[in-house]
Amino acid sequence: MKHISKVEINKRQKEDSLYAAAYELFTTQGIHNTAISDIVKKAGVAKGTFYLYFKDKYDVLDKIILDKSSEILVEAIENTNTKEFDSFEEKLLYFIDYIIEYLKQNKLLLKLIYKNLSWGVVRKAYKDYKG
């Protein structure tokens, strides 16, 4: 088991705090109405700390969009795989319905994903994942 230093734990906590603050502000105020200074204030860290983890607010936005989209897909797949279906079509419809219902319950997340998910974000993630 790998030992994690206090410095690494502290760094992870700061990054997580910035990520959570950005997510909350983006979903409640919108991206254009959220400044980096708002994010760092909510996260309780210095402005320079933001730039240790993200290039700009669109960098953290891309990470949020990819993470949240992946979470939804994984949850939908796992849930779909716990059920029995008579056909592939039924399974596919259940999977799609699951995602639709999830996003209906999370309208702020839907708005964020809808307005900001692009093929550029997907390509960047794919490149980062492979690289």
Side-chain angles (χ1 to χ4, degrees):
M1 188 168 167
K2 185 182 174 202
H3 175 70
I4 300 172
S5 72
K6 287 183 179 181
V7 171
E8 289 171 357
I9 291 169
N10 191 25
K11 284 173 128 181
R12 176 50 117 187
Q13 287 172 337
K14 285 180 181 176
E15 184 178 6
D16 290 348
S17 181
L18 286 163
Y19 179 94
Y23 177 68
E24 184 178 333
L25 291 168
F26 289 163
T27 55
T28 58
Q29 295 181 184
I31 291 100
H32 300 297
N33 296 326
T34 300
I36 291 172
S37 57
D38 299 325
I39 296 169
V40 297
K41 183 177 179 184
K42 184 157 197 65
V45 299
K47 194 168 187 177
T49 304
F50 179 91
Y51 295 102
L52 294 173
Y53 304 101
F54 309 105
K55 287 183 287 201
D56 54 31
K57 69 180 181 179
Y58 299 101
D59 188 30
V60 70
L61 174 65
D62 289 350
K63 182 172 177 13
I64 289 169
I65 297 297
L66 290 167
D67 288 350
K68 297 296 182 180
S69 298
S70 296
E71 284 174 23
I72 295 166
L73 290 173
V74 166
E75 188 176 312
I77 290 166
E78 288 174 350
N79 192 282
T80 300
N81 286 338
T82 65
K83 312 274 189 248
E84 293 290 327
F85 300 95
D86 292 331
S87 68
F88 174 76
E89 290 79 9
E90 281 183 28
K91 187 174 189 175
L92 181 61
L93 288 173
Y94 180 88
F95 173 77
I96 293 168
D97 283 344
Y98 187 92
I99 294 170
I100 291 169
E101 288 303 315
Y102 184 99
L103 292 171
K104 278 170 61 176
Q105 300 300 316
N106 297 279
K107 286 186 172 44
L108 293 174
L109 177 58
L110 172 60
K111 185 177 176 186
L112 190 69
I113 291 172
Y114 170 75
K115 288 189 170 193
N116 298 288
L117 183 61
S118 68
W119 283 112
V121 171
V122 173
R123 272 195 297 275
K124 180 185 178 304
Y126 182 74
K127 187 179 78 182
D128 290 350
Y129 179 72
K130 284 187 75 176

